Amino acid sequence: INNLKNLFLIPILLLVVFSCSPEEETQAPTNTVQTTTPEPVVTQYTLTVTASEGGSVTDGGTFDDGTEVTITATANEFYTFSGWEGNDSNENSIRIQINSDLEITANFESTLELYSEFTDISEANVSSKGPFAIWWDKRYSIEYENLILEMLLKSRNKIINELGFLDPVNIENGKLINIYLHQTGTPDIFDQYNWNASMRGGTYGPYVTMPYGIYLDQFYDAGTGTLLHENFHIYQSRYFSNIANGNDWAWYIETTAQWFELFYNNYEESFVEVGSLTNIPHVALWHKTYRGSQGNGTINDPQTWTYEVHQYALHAFLLYLTEIKGVNPNIITRAFLINSGYTPQEYYFNEIPEFRAYFADWAAANTSNLNYLTREQVERSNTELQQYGGDDIGFNDYSIEVDGNNANGTFSPSVNLKPRSWAYNVVKVNNSANKSFNISFNGEENGSEGANSFFEIRIVKKAGENNYTTTNFEIENGLTGNKTVTLNENEDEFYIVVVSVPEYFSGNQNYNYSISISE
């Protein structure tokens, strides 16, 4: 009975298992609606942060509503933070919550007083930056006041950080350094002072006067020339007492200011007045024309452009020392910074072991058509000499000229052309191609006022335009020597450069010599 019962149950279980129809298996599920919560909308605001002249601020930007932001104002040198425009806090660092567009300005004030002995803001415009203020007549407009101020700041940075100078005393006295731009030939509030381009001493420190025309021309030429020169005088002025020794130091004040123009511009600017170097090579390194309170020439020196600008032209010598001979630029200006008791020329002699040789090499380079300058710079120099040199052009280039076809003889310079201390002569020998010459040099033992003589000699051979070679002429004890000079077929002239470099650094005594030439 039980087995029958089990057999009876099997069909029933099968029925249960297979009771679902295909239609029921493929029926689609009931559709349901899916919903998502939208992202909340975040409002953003812009924070604009600016700074007045004299400082900087951290950046602004775009921020979510409610964001807290810290902004900080930092004053530049010679300025102090004076407060915020757009916020009541007087702290230089503030934390603000952003809940609207905000514009905030950090304000700064100069720590130096604006002051003038000659005008005020009722009749003159003034623009200042850092320690400098420039003034000009309100009747005129200038285009480059910001460029002037930026240039002055950049040059100050170079003078202080690279050359080691301190600021002029204006800063210690709490005053801005004044630069006066004045018109020439037209009505101007500064007419009564008869100013030219110069640095002058004021009640609280030095100031600069600059004819507007000079300044304008310089900047149209993308240079900075005269203004840079006078600005360097401002920094020199603190140290004048370190180098003042008679009148034989004045050349150094002017030529270092000229040199700084080139140093500032990485020696890319044209050289000026250099033509006078080859025109009057016999005058002393420290020559300043015999005129004015600082003149140190002789009473017989002509008062001409060539003699007048010699002190300025010597920036070419300082360039030669630094760029060709590798003398550290700090050595050039360190004479201002130390109270050595020496004139600048004696300082160089003690500071630069090869100074004699370098000076003689420079004389040979000048004789080689200024071969350390670009041809464009030489052309500029020649043009300037033609314009201003007048009757001086070429009149002293060569102390002696010898015809190589009849060279046998002994030669000495005329009394007016004998080289002075730290100066040189050029003896020119023409018609010398394919010839050999025996040269004997004999220097007198003492100068015209008793100083011990010392000479260096260089031989310069010319082979075509701007093709020169230089060789040394060994001199025993700085007084005597012999050398044979042989020229090739393309070398039609050569020069004997006689360089007077005694251990004597003042005055205008001269040093005589003789040269014997034989074929």
Side-chain angles (χ1 to χ4, degrees):
I1 294 175
N2 291 332
N3 289 335
L4 290 174
K5 186 177 180 178
N6 291 337
L7 290 172
F8 179 76
L9 291 173
I10 291 172
I12 296 174
L13 293 171
L14 292 173
L15 179 64
V16 171
V17 172
F18 296 103
S19 63
C20 294
S21 68
E23 290 79 10
E24 292 175 325
E25 289 183 353
T26 58
Q27 184 176 352
T30 303
N31 290 332
T32 60
V33 178
Q34 298 289 331
T35 60
T36 59
T37 303
E39 293 288 335
V41 177
V42 178
T43 303
Q44 292 189 316
Y45 296 104
T46 299
L47 171 64
T48 303
V49 187
T50 56
S52 68
E53 179 62 50
S56 60
V57 289
T58 50
D59 292 335
T62 301
F63 302 93
D64 293 345
D65 184 19
T67 301
E68 289 191 343
V69 177
T70 299
I71 57 175
T72 302
T74 303
N76 295 339
E77 187 180 15
F78 304 117
Y79 291 89
T80 185
F81 173 71
S82 60
W84 297 96
E85 186 177 329
N87 189 280
D88 295 334
S89 176
N90 289 321
E91 299 293 328
N92 73 311
S93 184
I94 58 175
R95 189 168 180 81
I96 57 178
Q97 188 175 55
I98 306 298
N99 48 33
S100 65
D101 290 335
L102 293 175
E103 293 184 4
I104 297 178
T105 299
N107 290 319
F108 303 90
E109 293 179 353
S110 176
T111 58
L112 301 173
E113 180 185 359
L114 180 67
Y115 167 86
S116 172
E117 299 172 81
F118 308 103
T119 189
D120 57 44
I121 58 175
S122 67
E123 59 181 4
N125 290 316
V126 61
S127 183
S128 64
K129 195 168 191 176
F132 299 99
I134 57 173
W135 300 79
W136 67 98
D137 193 312
K138 277 190 172 181
R139 286 173 290 184
Y140 308 107
S141 62
I142 64 172
E143 188 177 350
Y144 300 115
E145 60 264 35
N146 289 328
L147 184 59
I148 297 174
L149 291 167
E150 287 296 333
M151 184 275 295
L152 290 170
L153 286 172
K154 183 180 175 183
S155 64
R156 173 187 176 269
N157 179 67
K158 209 170 184 73
I159 292 166
I160 289 177
N161 295 331
E162 296 186 34
L163 298 178
F165 286 72
L166 295 176
D167 277 310
V169 296
N170 311 59
I171 308 305
E172 295 173 9
N173 290 325
K175 309 295 183 183
L176 288 164
I177 303 167
N178 288 325
I179 313 293
Y180 297 99
L181 303 181
H182 50 96
Q183 297 283 340
T184 55
T186 57
D188 190 277
I189 58 174
F190 303 117
D191 275 350
Q192 58 185 305
Y193 304 112
N194 296 315
W195 284 338
N196 53 13
S198 64
M199 183 277 297
R200 302 166 184 266
T203 302
Y204 296 105
Y207 60 93
V208 165
T209 64
M210 181 61 52
Y212 180 57
I214 292 178
Y215 155 73
L216 190 65
D217 290 343
Q218 292 290 343
F219 271 79
Y220 273 140
D221 291 338
T224 49
T226 306
L227 188 54
L228 277 171
H229 177 106
E230 300 302 334
N231 183 47
F232 191 69
H233 283 331
I234 287 177
Y235 292 87
Q236 291 173 326
S237 65
R238 190 183 188 103
Y239 306 96
F240 282 165
S241 61
N242 286 347
I243 60 170
N245 188 340
N247 287 334
D248 291 342
W249 52 268
W251 75 278
Y252 179 63
I253 289 175
E254 296 298 348
T255 204
T256 48
Q258 289 288 97
W259 168 81
F260 179 72
E261 294 180 31
L262 305 172
F263 182 66
Y264 175 89
N265 287 307
N266 297 317
Y267 304 105
E268 294 176 356
E269 296 301 303
S270 296
F271 285 68
V272 294
E273 294 116 5
V274 176
S276 71
L277 297 175
T278 55
N279 226 22
I280 51 172
H282 64 287
V283 303
L285 172 66
W286 47 86
H287 171 85
K288 188 177 186 297
T289 192
Y290 188 81
R291 184 166 56 195
S293 61
Q294 295 175 351
N296 65 355
T298 72
I299 196 170
N300 295 320
D301 286 337
Q303 295 184 15
T304 61
W305 179 86
T306 300
Y307 280 82
E308 178 74 31
V309 302
H310 183 265
Q311 59 181 332
Y312 301 96
L314 285 167
H315 64 297
F317 176 51
L318 302 187
L319 169 90
Y320 185 82
L321 290 177
T322 53
E323 289 297 289
I324 306 302
K325 295 302 186 181
V327 173
N328 190 321
N330 294 87
I331 291 178
I332 298 299
T333 51
R334 185 170 171 265
F336 284 105
L337 307 180
I338 60 173
N339 193 355
S340 67
Y342 297 134
T343 58
Q345 50 271 21
E346 189 173 7
Y347 158 83
Y348 283 157
F349 183 82
N350 290 305
E351 193 78 14
I352 305 171
E354 305 88 352
F355 191 55
R356 271 179 170 148
Y358 287 175
F359 188 86
D361 291 343
W362 172 69
N366 287 343
T367 306
S368 303
N369 198 18
L370 300 160
N371 64 7
Y372 54 98
L373 304 183
T374 67
R375 294 307 89 190
E376 292 77 15
Q377 290 166 339
V378 173
E379 182 179 353
R380 158 69 187 271
S381 172
N382 290 337
T383 299
E384 188 178 45
L385 186 61
Q386 292 289 331
Q387 289 178 338
Y388 304 113
D391 294 337
D392 290 355
I393 297 174
F395 79 116
N396 284 333
D397 286 14
Y398 309 113
S399 59
I400 302 169
E401 293 194 54
V402 178
D403 183 354
N405 293 322
N406 186 24
N408 295 316
T410 299
F411 308 90
S412 291
S414 65
V415 65
N416 291 331
L417 295 182
K418 294 175 183 178
R420 303 175 192 177
S421 300
W422 293 84
Y424 65 96
N425 279 174
V426 179
V427 179
K428 180 180 180 181
V429 182
N430 290 310
N431 305 314
S432 50
N434 281 326
K435 297 176 183 177
S436 290
F437 301 88
N438 297 314
I439 301 171
S440 177
F441 177 84
N442 184 51
E444 290 189 5
E445 188 173 348
N446 299 107
S448 58
E449 298 175 14
N452 293 331
S453 301
F454 197 102
F455 295 93
E456 292 239 3
I457 312 293
R458 300 290 184 267
I459 299 297
V460 175
K461 294 192 288 187
K462 181 180 179 181
E465 189 69 24
N466 296 319
N467 188 0
Y468 298 84
T469 58
T470 299
T471 56
N472 197 9
F473 188 135
E474 296 295 335
I475 299 295
E476 185 176 353
N477 298 320
L479 293 175
T480 60
N482 296 278
K483 187 178 181 68
T484 298
V485 177
T486 301
L487 285 88
N488 299 321
E489 61 181 8
N490 63 334
E491 296 172 335
D492 195 43
E493 64 186 45
F494 74 98
Y495 314 95
I496 307 168
V497 185
V498 181
V499 188
S500 172
V501 283
E503 196 169 343
Y504 192 82
F505 306 97
S506 184
N508 286 286
Q509 67 179 298
N510 56 55
Y511 300 83
N512 197 25
Y513 63 88
S514 63
I515 293 177
S516 297
I517 302 176
S518 62
E519 294 187 54

